Amino acid sequence: MKRRSLILIGALVPALGCPGDDSTVTGGQGGTGDTSSTGGSDEESVTNPMTPDTADATGSSGEDSLDDTGTTAAPLDCGNGMIDDGEECDDGKESPECNDDCTLAACGDGIVNTAAGEACEEGGETKTCNDDCTAATCGDGVLNETAGELCDDAGESETCDADCTESTCGDGYINVTASEQCDDGNEVDFDFCSATCIPAPAVLLETFHILDTDTGELDDVPLAHWDSATGTWYSSGFEIAPGAVLIARGSLPLTLEVNGPVDINGIIDVSGEDGGGAYTAMGENCDTAGLGGDGGAGGFPGGHGAGFGGSSTVDGLPGGGPGMNPATGGLASTVTDTGFAGAGGGGGGHAMAGADGASSADATPGMGGEMHMSLPPLVGGGGGGGGSVEKEGDPGEALVAADDEGTGGGGGGGAIAIHSTVSITVNGTIDASGGNAGTDAGCGENRGLGGGGAGGAIELDSPSTDVAMGELNISGGLGGVPQFNQTDAAGLAGGDGSEGVLSVM
């Protein structure tokens, strides 16, 4: 108020220096000689500019005013660099310590203070604003649970992925810092990426190997990336070197899933085994029956021949098959008198039914197995039926002679599918052929012979598949042909197996 008092005295000096002057003097215009009246009165009138009537145009009489919402606005002198009444601070402008309304700056005060590094002010943590008033962003090093962050280590760490989720093998994110080499989003241990995030290795086979599709063992050692439910072998590359052989056996077909190139320069063998021939085991000529051959991986076995060591009857056993009517064995029990026997039927395959076997006298020949379709599903070929033996003894009896045994049917060719994400090149051989029936070579008696097994299935699928220089074998096996009684070879031969199916894409 001291400064304002001096101004008032200065304004009154001219008026006091002219006694008796009848002119009206208004504040700020003294000494002008103006004789006009401001109020229509002849009395001297002096207006003091600091009287309450004109002290503040806002009507606040110098106190802080209220804005239209009723809240306290910034003091009128905020920003002059001096802390006046009602101000907490005044740095002349917004600063890290002072807001532009002259209140002390603090995160959470509802005022965005950019000088203090505040990007937002929402009174606490929100999806877009951290509780330290920085904009919520994954990777900013501030854990914002409202924004769905489970962690935030300002980037990838051993425990936190770069997307602010907790690092776990199987979460679909490859966390190199956590030593993950792959992550396919699951915890399955037998696909391209293991449950410990280690990728399936590339496979190179350079010698002779045997794979059991039922156990997933290669040369009696369990494979790490093997799906035992489907018979699938996963790898990041697959190569069979020239001269190398992979033989696959078992009830499950073989599927190779390869995340890389496939080069077959050696042999993959899923063929059916040949049926056994009659042979000597007890000191007499051909006194033991031949057994049916095993199917290749996913193929079906051939039927055993009749007699000792086989079916133990005069009838051959049927082969296995995927349909309702597999190949049957030759039947000698239907003969009403002694005579020659019937041969087994050929295994049924994908292309057609197996061929029927032959018979002599009134024996019943084996019937060929029915045709079946696959790809999908991946299914091997049917096995051939076993041959019967010549019935001996009184009419109506089914006696088995110790020197008269049947031969086994050939096993059905197996099934193999190779799928590659890059390429498949076959310069070697993939063999899914059916097995041949056993013969009577070296035996001096007449007997029924087994049927041949059907060919299996080969499926190759990749963006670039080249089989021009390779061999893909899906042929059916041959039925047995008599070696002893050549004069009636056609009447005693077993049925041939059907051809298999091939798909190259």
Side-chain angles (χ1 to χ4, degrees), residues 350-385:
H350 304 269
M352 62 188 69
D356 295 339
S359 67
S360 60
D362 53 357
T364 301
M367 304 297 293
E370 67 178 359
M371 181 180 70
H372 60 275
M373 302 299 293
S374 72
L375 296 183
L378 190 62
V379 179

PDB file of all heavy atoms in Angstrom, residues 350-385:
ATOM      1  N   HIS A 350      -4.795-100.199 -53.431  1.00  0.00           N
ATOM      2  CA  HIS A 350      -5.463 -98.941 -53.738  1.00  0.00           C
ATOM      3  C   HIS A 350      -6.007 -98.903 -55.169  1.00  0.00           C
ATOM      4  O   HIS A 350      -6.974 -98.201 -55.443  1.00  0.00           O
ATOM      5  CB  HIS A 350      -4.484 -97.784 -53.543  1.00  0.00           C
ATOM      6  CG  HIS A 350      -3.886 -97.741 -52.174  1.00  0.00           C
ATOM      7  ND1 HIS A 350      -4.445 -97.024 -51.148  1.00  0.00           N
ATOM      8  CD2 HIS A 350      -2.781 -98.342 -51.650  1.00  0.00           C
ATOM      9  CE1 HIS A 350      -3.708 -97.168 -50.056  1.00  0.00           C
ATOM     10  NE2 HIS A 350      -2.705 -97.964 -50.335  1.00  0.00           N
ATOM     11  N   ALA A 351      -5.357 -99.649 -56.082  1.00  0.00           N
ATOM     12  CA  ALA A 351      -5.762 -99.583 -57.478  1.00  0.00           C
ATOM     13  C   ALA A 351      -6.918-100.525 -57.802  1.00  0.00           C
ATOM     14  O   ALA A 351      -7.806-100.188 -58.586  1.00  0.00           O
ATOM     15  CB  ALA A 351      -4.568 -99.892 -58.377  1.00  0.00           C
ATOM     16  N   MET A 352      -6.901-101.694 -57.200  1.00  0.00           N
ATOM     17  CA  MET A 352      -7.922-102.707 -57.498  1.00  0.00           C
ATOM     18  C   MET A 352      -7.851-103.809 -56.447  1.00  0.00           C
ATOM     19  O   MET A 352      -6.974-103.792 -55.575  1.00  0.00           O
ATOM     20  CB  MET A 352      -7.691-103.308 -58.892  1.00  0.00           C
ATOM     21  CG  MET A 352      -6.363-104.023 -59.024  1.00  0.00           C
ATOM     22  SD  MET A 352      -5.990-104.537 -60.720  1.00  0.00           S
ATOM     23  CE  MET A 352      -5.725-102.937 -61.495  1.00  0.00           C
ATOM     24  N   ALA A 353      -8.751-104.740 -56.568  1.00  0.00           N
ATOM     25  CA  ALA A 353      -8.739-105.888 -55.668  1.00  0.00           C
ATOM     26  C   ALA A 353      -7.598-106.821 -56.045  1.00  0.00           C
ATOM     27  O   ALA A 353      -7.108-106.814 -57.178  1.00  0.00           O
ATOM     28  CB  ALA A 353     -10.069-106.622 -55.735  1.00  0.00           C
ATOM     29  N   GLY A 354      -7.174-107.644 -55.076  1.00  0.00           N
ATOM     30  CA  GLY A 354      -6.153-108.640 -55.371  1.00  0.00           C
ATOM     31  C   GLY A 354      -6.710-109.754 -56.229  1.00  0.00           C
ATOM     32  O   GLY A 354      -7.926-110.006 -56.268  1.00  0.00           O
ATOM     33  N   ALA A 355      -5.823-110.472 -56.913  1.00  0.00           N
ATOM     34  CA  ALA A 355      -6.240-111.583 -57.769  1.00  0.00           C
ATOM     35  C   ALA A 355      -6.564-112.815 -56.927  1.00  0.00           C
ATOM     36  O   ALA A 355      -5.971-113.039 -55.875  1.00  0.00           O
ATOM     37  CB  ALA A 355      -5.135-111.901 -58.774  1.00  0.00           C
ATOM     38  N   ASP A 356      -7.523-113.605 -57.413  1.00  0.00           N
ATOM     39  CA  ASP A 356      -7.873-114.845 -56.725  1.00  0.00           C
ATOM     40  C   ASP A 356      -6.783-115.895 -56.939  1.00  0.00           C
ATOM     41  O   ASP A 356      -6.072-115.889 -57.945  1.00  0.00           O
ATOM     42  CB  ASP A 356      -9.195-115.407 -57.257  1.00  0.00           C
ATOM     43  CG  ASP A 356     -10.374-114.494 -56.965  1.00  0.00           C
ATOM     44  OD1 ASP A 356     -10.270-113.658 -56.030  1.00  0.00           O
ATOM     45  OD2 ASP A 356     -11.399-114.597 -57.665  1.00  0.00           O
ATOM     46  N   GLY A 357      -6.665-116.788 -55.959  1.00  0.00           N
ATOM     47  CA  GLY A 357      -5.739-117.893 -56.104  1.00  0.00           C
ATOM     48  C   GLY A 357      -6.341-119.007 -56.957  1.00  0.00           C
ATOM     49  O   GLY A 357      -7.537-118.993 -57.279  1.00  0.00           O
ATOM     50  N   ALA A 358      -5.512-119.982 -57.333  1.00  0.00           N
ATOM     51  CA  ALA A 358      -5.970-121.146 -58.109  1.00  0.00           C
ATOM     52  C   ALA A 358      -6.160-122.330 -57.163  1.00  0.00           C
ATOM     53  O   ALA A 358      -5.793-122.266 -55.989  1.00  0.00           O
ATOM     54  CB  ALA A 358      -4.951-121.479 -59.192  1.00  0.00           C
ATOM     55  N   SER A 359      -6.741-123.411 -57.688  1.00  0.00           N
ATOM     56  CA  SER A 359      -6.923-124.617 -56.875  1.00  0.00           C
ATOM     57  C   SER A 359      -6.963-125.835 -57.774  1.00  0.00           C
ATOM     58  O   SER A 359      -7.173-125.725 -58.984  1.00  0.00           O
ATOM     59  CB  SER A 359      -8.217-124.531 -56.057  1.00  0.00           C
ATOM     60  OG  SER A 359      -9.353-124.555 -56.917  1.00  0.00           O
ATOM     61  N   SER A 360      -6.746-126.974 -57.177  1.00  0.00           N
ATOM     62  CA  SER A 360      -6.845-128.228 -57.901  1.00  0.00           C
ATOM     63  C   SER A 360      -7.925-129.071 -57.248  1.00  0.00           C
ATOM     64  O   SER A 360      -8.303-128.850 -56.091  1.00  0.00           O
ATOM     65  CB  SER A 360      -5.498-128.961 -57.878  1.00  0.00           C
ATOM     66  OG  SER A 360      -5.128-129.231 -56.546  1.00  0.00           O
ATOM     67  N   ALA A 361      -8.406-130.052 -58.013  1.00  0.00           N
ATOM     68  CA  ALA A 361      -9.507-130.886 -57.542  1.00  0.00           C
ATOM     69  C   ALA A 361     -10.670-129.977 -57.157  1.00  0.00           C
ATOM     70  O   ALA A 361     -10.994-129.041 -57.862  1.00  0.00           O
ATOM     71  CB  ALA A 361      -9.049-131.765 -56.391  1.00  0.00           C
ATOM     72  N   ASP A 362     -11.302-130.244 -56.037  1.00  0.00           N
ATOM     73  CA  ASP A 362     -12.432-129.409 -55.626  1.00  0.00           C
ATOM     74  C   ASP A 362     -12.096-128.582 -54.383  1.00  0.00           C
ATOM     75  O   ASP A 362     -12.969-128.219 -53.605  1.00  0.00           O
ATOM     76  CB  ASP A 362     -13.670-130.252 -55.382  1.00  0.00           C
ATOM     77  CG  ASP A 362     -13.424-131.401 -54.406  1.00  0.00           C
ATOM     78  OD1 ASP A 362     -12.258-131.554 -53.984  1.00  0.00           O
ATOM     79  OD2 ASP A 362     -14.374-132.105 -54.070  1.00  0.00           O
ATOM     80  N   ALA A 363     -10.824-128.267 -54.189  1.00  0.00           N
ATOM     81  CA  ALA A 363     -10.431-127.367 -53.110  1.00  0.00           C
ATOM     82  C   ALA A 363     -10.912-125.955 -53.443  1.00  0.00           C
ATOM     83  O   ALA A 363     -11.148-125.607 -54.601  1.00  0.00           O
ATOM     84  CB  ALA A 363      -8.926-127.387 -52.918  1.00  0.00           C
ATOM     85  N   THR A 364     -11.039-125.115 -52.427  1.00  0.00           N
ATOM     86  CA  THR A 364     -11.513-123.744 -52.626  1.00  0.00           C
ATOM     87  C   THR A 364     -10.331-122.786 -52.663  1.00  0.00           C
ATOM     88  O   THR A 364      -9.548-122.719 -51.713  1.00  0.00           O
ATOM     89  CB  THR A 364     -12.461-123.336 -51.484  1.00  0.00           C
ATOM     90  OG1 THR A 364     -13.577-124.232 -51.447  1.00  0.00           O
ATOM     91  CG2 THR A 364     -12.944-121.909 -51.679  1.00  0.00           C
ATOM     92  N   PRO A 365     -10.192-122.048 -53.758  1.00  0.00           N
ATOM     93  CA  PRO A 365      -9.061-121.118 -53.841  1.00  0.00           C
ATOM     94  C   PRO A 365      -9.292-119.897 -52.958  1.00  0.00           C
ATOM     95  O   PRO A 365     -10.423-119.535 -52.628  1.00  0.00           O
ATOM     96  CB  PRO A 365      -9.051-120.719 -55.317  1.00  0.00           C
ATOM     97  CG  PRO A 365     -10.484-120.832 -55.733  1.00  0.00           C
ATOM     98  CD  PRO A 365     -11.045-122.004 -54.957  1.00  0.00           C
ATOM     99  N   GLY A 366      -8.210-119.265 -52.583  1.00  0.00           N
ATOM    100  CA  GLY A 366      -8.323-118.027 -51.809  1.00  0.00           C
ATOM    101  C   GLY A 366      -8.798-116.877 -52.689  1.00  0.00           C
ATOM    102  O   GLY A 366      -8.448-116.783 -53.867  1.00  0.00           O
ATOM    103  N   MET A 367      -9.594-116.011 -52.101  1.00  0.00           N
ATOM    104  CA  MET A 367     -10.123-114.860 -52.827  1.00  0.00           C
ATOM    105  C   MET A 367      -9.196-113.651 -52.610  1.00  0.00           C
ATOM    106  O   MET A 367      -8.638-113.445 -51.538  1.00  0.00           O
ATOM    107  CB  MET A 367     -11.523-114.523 -52.329  1.00  0.00           C
ATOM    108  CG  MET A 367     -12.507-115.691 -52.413  1.00  0.00           C
ATOM    109  SD  MET A 367     -12.798-116.225 -54.121  1.00  0.00           S
ATOM    110  CE  MET A 367     -13.661-114.790 -54.755  1.00  0.00           C
ATOM    111  N   GLY A 368      -9.086-112.837 -53.651  1.00  0.00           N
ATOM    112  CA  GLY A 368      -8.267-111.633 -53.541  1.00  0.00           C
ATOM    113  C   GLY A 368      -8.891-110.612 -52.594  1.00  0.00           C
ATOM    114  O   GLY A 368     -10.116-110.515 -52.474  1.00  0.00           O
ATOM    115  N   GLY A 369      -8.065-109.852 -51.896  1.00  0.00           N
ATOM    116  CA  GLY A 369      -8.571-108.834 -50.988  1.00  0.00           C
ATOM    117  C   GLY A 369      -9.237-107.684 -51.736  1.00  0.00           C
ATOM    118  O   GLY A 369      -8.882-107.368 -52.873  1.00  0.00           O
ATOM    119  N   GLU A 370     -10.201-107.025 -51.090  1.00  0.00           N
ATOM    120  CA  GLU A 370     -10.930-105.946 -51.740  1.00  0.00           C
ATOM    121  C   GLU A 370     -10.074-104.684 -51.880  1.00  0.00           C
ATOM    122  O   GLU A 370      -9.127-104.458 -51.133  1.00  0.00           O
ATOM    123  CB  GLU A 370     -12.196-105.607 -50.952  1.00  0.00           C
ATOM    124  CG  GLU A 370     -11.946-105.001 -49.580  1.00  0.00           C
ATOM    125  CD  GLU A 370     -13.239-104.641 -48.867  1.00  0.00           C
ATOM    126  OE1 GLU A 370     -14.307-104.851 -49.450  1.00  0.00           O
ATOM    127  OE2 GLU A 370     -13.161-104.149 -47.725  1.00  0.00           O
ATOM    128  N   MET A 371     -10.447-103.880 -52.871  1.00  0.00           N
ATOM    129  CA  MET A 371      -9.764-102.609 -53.068  1.00  0.00           C
ATOM    130  C   MET A 371     -10.149-101.648 -51.948  1.00  0.00           C
ATOM    131  O   MET A 371     -11.255-101.667 -51.438  1.00  0.00           O
ATOM    132  CB  MET A 371     -10.178-102.017 -54.424  1.00  0.00           C
ATOM    133  CG  MET A 371      -9.510-100.695 -54.745  1.00  0.00           C
ATOM    134  SD  MET A 371     -10.028-100.026 -56.352  1.00  0.00           S
ATOM    135  CE  MET A 371     -11.734 -99.587 -55.956  1.00  0.00           C
ATOM    136  N   HIS A 372      -9.213-100.773 -51.590  1.00  0.00           N
ATOM    137  CA  HIS A 372      -9.502 -99.767 -50.585  1.00  0.00           C
ATOM    138  C   HIS A 372      -8.859 -98.445 -51.006  1.00  0.00           C
ATOM    139  O   HIS A 372      -7.924 -98.412 -51.804  1.00  0.00           O
ATOM    140  CB  HIS A 372      -8.971-100.186 -49.203  1.00  0.00           C
ATOM    141  CG  HIS A 372      -7.484-100.400 -49.164  1.00  0.00           C
ATOM    142  ND1 HIS A 372      -6.897-101.589 -49.515  1.00  0.00           N
ATOM    143  CD2 HIS A 372      -6.465 -99.575 -48.831  1.00  0.00           C
ATOM    144  CE1 HIS A 372      -5.588-101.499 -49.392  1.00  0.00           C
ATOM    145  NE2 HIS A 372      -5.294-100.280 -48.989  1.00  0.00           N
ATOM    146  N   MET A 373      -9.391 -97.365 -50.513  1.00  0.00           N
ATOM    147  CA  MET A 373      -8.899 -96.039 -50.876  1.00  0.00           C
ATOM    148  C   MET A 373      -8.165 -95.404 -49.695  1.00  0.00           C
ATOM    149  O   MET A 373      -8.458 -95.661 -48.542  1.00  0.00           O
ATOM    150  CB  MET A 373     -10.064 -95.136 -51.289  1.00  0.00           C
ATOM    151  CG  MET A 373     -10.886 -95.685 -52.455  1.00  0.00           C
ATOM    152  SD  MET A 373      -9.909 -95.882 -53.959  1.00  0.00           S
ATOM    153  CE  MET A 373      -9.572 -94.165 -54.345  1.00  0.00           C
ATOM    154  N   SER A 374      -7.181 -94.519 -50.035  1.00  0.00           N
ATOM    155  CA  SER A 374      -6.490 -93.770 -48.987  1.00  0.00           C
ATOM    156  C   SER A 374      -5.912 -92.492 -49.583  1.00  0.00           C
ATOM    157  O   SER A 374      -6.264 -92.093 -50.691  1.00  0.00           O
ATOM    158  CB  SER A 374      -5.378 -94.610 -48.347  1.00  0.00           C
ATOM    159  OG  SER A 374      -4.286 -94.760 -49.220  1.00  0.00           O
ATOM    160  N   LEU A 375      -5.018 -91.861 -48.847  1.00  0.00           N
ATOM    161  CA  LEU A 375      -4.381 -90.588 -49.229  1.00  0.00           C
ATOM    162  C   LEU A 375      -5.388 -89.465 -49.413  1.00  0.00           C
ATOM    163  O   LEU A 375      -5.530 -88.911 -50.498  1.00  0.00           O
ATOM    164  CB  LEU A 375      -3.527 -90.748 -50.483  1.00  0.00           C
ATOM    165  CG  LEU A 375      -2.336 -91.680 -50.373  1.00  0.00           C
ATOM    166  CD1 LEU A 375      -1.553 -91.694 -51.657  1.00  0.00           C
ATOM    167  CD2 LEU A 375      -1.443 -91.308 -49.223  1.00  0.00           C
ATOM    168  N   PRO A 376      -5.964 -88.975 -48.349  1.00  0.00           N
ATOM    169  CA  PRO A 376      -5.893 -89.548 -47.003  1.00  0.00           C
ATOM    170  C   PRO A 376      -6.962 -90.602 -46.799  1.00  0.00           C
ATOM    171  O   PRO A 376      -7.908 -90.631 -47.577  1.00  0.00           O
ATOM    172  CB  PRO A 376      -6.125 -88.331 -46.111  1.00  0.00           C
ATOM    173  CG  PRO A 376      -7.017 -87.437 -46.933  1.00  0.00           C
ATOM    174  CD  PRO A 376      -6.626 -87.679 -48.360  1.00  0.00           C
ATOM    175  N   PRO A 377      -6.851 -91.452 -45.765  1.00  0.00           N
ATOM    176  CA  PRO A 377      -5.718 -91.512 -44.833  1.00  0.00           C
ATOM    177  C   PRO A 377      -4.548 -92.280 -45.434  1.00  0.00           C
ATOM    178  O   PRO A 377      -4.672 -92.868 -46.506  1.00  0.00           O
ATOM    179  CB  PRO A 377      -6.310 -92.251 -43.636  1.00  0.00           C
ATOM    180  CG  PRO A 377      -7.302 -93.188 -44.261  1.00  0.00           C
ATOM    181  CD  PRO A 377      -7.904 -92.426 -45.407  1.00  0.00           C
ATOM    182  N   LEU A 378      -3.410 -92.229 -44.749  1.00  0.00           N
ATOM    183  CA  LEU A 378      -2.212 -92.922 -45.203  1.00  0.00           C
ATOM    184  C   LEU A 378      -2.301 -94.377 -44.769  1.00  0.00           C
ATOM    185  O   LEU A 378      -2.211 -94.701 -43.591  1.00  0.00           O
ATOM    186  CB  LEU A 378      -0.986 -92.250 -44.593  1.00  0.00           C
ATOM    187  CG  LEU A 378       0.391 -92.668 -45.110  1.00  0.00           C
ATOM    188  CD1 LEU A 378       0.522 -92.345 -46.588  1.00  0.00           C
ATOM    189  CD2 LEU A 378       1.480 -91.988 -44.302  1.00  0.00           C
ATOM    190  N   VAL A 379      -2.482 -95.268 -45.753  1.00  0.00           N
ATOM    191  CA  VAL A 379      -2.707 -96.687 -45.461  1.00  0.00           C
ATOM    192  C   VAL A 379      -1.870 -97.536 -46.408  1.00  0.00           C
ATOM    193  O   VAL A 379      -1.747 -97.223 -47.594  1.00  0.00           O
ATOM    194  CB  VAL A 379      -4.196 -97.068 -45.621  1.00  0.00           C
ATOM    195  CG1 VAL A 379      -4.406 -98.560 -45.349  1.00  0.00           C
ATOM    196  CG2 VAL A 379      -5.063 -96.243 -44.689  1.00  0.00           C
ATOM    197  N   GLY A 380      -1.293 -98.624 -45.876  1.00  0.00           N
ATOM    198  CA  GLY A 380      -0.519 -99.548 -46.691  1.00  0.00           C
ATOM    199  C   GLY A 380      -1.392-100.566 -47.393  1.00  0.00           C
ATOM    200  O   GLY A 380      -2.621-100.540 -47.319  1.00  0.00           O
ATOM    201  N   GLY A 381      -0.736-101.508 -48.091  1.00  0.00           N
ATOM    202  CA  GLY A 381      -1.442-102.540 -48.853  1.00  0.00           C
ATOM    203  C   GLY A 381      -1.796-103.754 -48.012  1.00  0.00           C
ATOM    204  O   GLY A 381      -1.228-104.002 -46.949  1.00  0.00           O
ATOM    205  N   GLY A 382      -2.749-104.534 -48.510  1.00  0.00           N
ATOM    206  CA  GLY A 382      -3.177-105.758 -47.834  1.00  0.00           C
ATOM    207  C   GLY A 382      -2.240-106.913 -48.097  1.00  0.00           C
ATOM    208  O   GLY A 382      -1.563-106.982 -49.129  1.00  0.00           O
ATOM    209  N   GLY A 383      -2.178-107.851 -47.137  1.00  0.00           N
ATOM    210  CA  GLY A 383      -1.333-109.032 -47.280  1.00  0.00           C
ATOM    211  C   GLY A 383      -2.035-110.131 -48.059  1.00  0.00           C
ATOM    212  O   GLY A 383      -3.270-110.206 -48.118  1.00  0.00           O
ATOM    213  N   GLY A 384      -1.235-111.007 -48.684  1.00  0.00           N
ATOM    214  CA  GLY A 384      -1.789-112.149 -49.421  1.00  0.00           C
ATOM    215  C   GLY A 384      -2.177-113.292 -48.497  1.00  0.00           C
ATOM    216  O   GLY A 384      -1.659-113.413 -47.387  1.00  0.00           O
ATOM    217  N   GLY A 385      -3.113-114.121 -48.944  1.00  0.00           N
ATOM    218  CA  GLY A 385      -3.546-115.267 -48.158  1.00  0.00           C
ATOM    219  C   GLY A 385      -2.553-116.413 -48.237  1.00  0.00           C
ATOM    220  O   GLY A 385      -1.788-116.536 -49.195  1.00  0.00           O
TER     221      GLY A 385
END
